[in-house]
Amino acid sequence: MTRLRGDRGIGVIATGDMDLVGTMTRNWIEECGEEAGIEALLPLWKADRVECLETLWKERFTIIFSSLKSLFYSQ
């Protein structure tokens, strides 16, 4: 991220992160951004996942799941 700041002049990065993962105590992008002097925007942080998914579906977005927690699904 420091290279992005220096080489490209990037001062802000936006991600789709919604919550912490596993045993993380802090958002990794936010933490790295601070060290590099880049602000992290997290517009979906703590957003309701079902509501977000329903909005995407209603707006006819193509949805691709890249990671799922099996404990939430019976099959």
Side-chain angles (χ1 to χ4, degrees), residues 1 13 27-40:
M1 288 183 110
I13 188 168
N27 179 278
W28 183 79
I29 293 290
E30 205 169 35
E31 194 173 339
C32 292
E34 275 181 15
E35 291 176 20
I38 295 176
E39 180 185 359

Side-chain angles (χ1 to χ4, degrees), residues 15 17-32 42 45-46 69:
T15 75
D17 293 0
M18 297 180 89
D19 209 336
L20 297 174
V21 177
T23 59
M24 293 172 66
T25 58
R26 237 182 125 204
N27 179 278
W28 183 79
I29 293 290
E30 205 169 35
E31 194 173 339
C32 292
L42 309 167
W45 195 252
K46 299 293 184 184
K69 282 190 172 183

